[in-house]
Structure formats: C-alpha cells, structure tokens
Amino acid sequence: MTTSFDSLRIGDGIDGPSFGATRHDDDAPITRMIASWAGPLGAVHRRLETRWVRPVRPGDTVHPTGLIKAKRASKKSRYVLIDVVVRNRSGKTVATGEAIVEFPRDLICP
C-alpha cells in the first residue's frame, strides 16, 4: 500500500511535457502525462474526458498540465480527480477536461 495518496493536496499540479500535435483530438499525450505521474505513485489512470475548445493543427506545439481538484476515499480504494488543461505555445487553452486516478488500497499482482 502506498502513502502517496495521503500526501497529495488539492491544488497540487502535474506538469506534462510539451509535444507536437499530430491531429486535433489526440488525447494520447494527455494520457501519457497522467499515467507517467500516477504509475510511480502506485496509482492507475482510470478515466479521461477531454473537450477540445480551439483548433490544433499537426505540428503545433501544445503543453498539458493537471491540477488536483478533489480526493475521495472508499472502503476499497482512493481516487483523485484532476482538472486537465492543454495550452498552445501562445498560452491559449486548446483543450480542457478531467481525469480520474485510482490509488488501490490493495494491489494484487499475478
């Protein structure tokens, strides 16, 4: 069991790498940002909902970030809700969304 969930605070940020967009609605780099943050903490990326609010063309450089919005715990697991924002190189928001990351209380590995 990890204690990383307990040390997370609402308002903590997640900074993803900048990347060259391949198409307008490519969520893969956002998913990689969340998964690469969650994995070392013993967590699992469960859901991502993204709304692309501004056009992105192939080759545009964009940068995803996340902000912890809420934490919830149940008997079986713990969850973090993350607000996701993707900005272009001009700093304009091109996508927004939410992700859920689960911190299982008991990890069972085969």
Side-chain angles (χ1 to χ4, degrees):
M1 178 166 72
T2 180
T3 59
S4 297
F5 175 83
D6 296 328
S7 66
L8 295 174
R9 301 286 174 246
I10 293 172
D12 284 353
I14 303 166
D15 193 34
S18 295
F19 63 93
T22 56
R23 63 179 209 258
H24 172 70
D25 61 349
D26 186 5
D27 288 344
I30 303 164
T31 299
R32 281 195 298 272
M33 174 191 73
I34 299 294
S36 65
W37 171 80
L41 298 175
V44 180
H45 178 204
R46 291 292 184 205
R47 182 183 67 117
L48 174 64
E49 291 183 13
T50 308
R51 292 165 296 287
W52 292 87
V53 297
R54 180 167 280 141
V56 175
R57 293 179 176 50
D60 286 350
T61 300
V62 294
H63 182 87
T65 59
L67 193 66
I68 296 177
K69 180 178 178 177
K71 292 172 53 175
R72 298 216 185 254
S74 70
K75 187 175 180 177
K76 293 185 179 181
S77 200
R78 300 158 299 170
Y79 301 90
V80 173
L81 178 64
I82 301 167
D83 275 339
V84 175
V85 176
V86 181
R87 292 183 175 84
N88 63 18
R89 70 180 119 204
S90 301
K92 294 181 181 174
T93 298
V94 295
T96 61
E98 289 183 339
I100 292 180
V101 173
E102 179 184 9
F103 288 75
R105 291 192 185 273
D106 295 317
L107 291 176
I108 300 172
C109 301

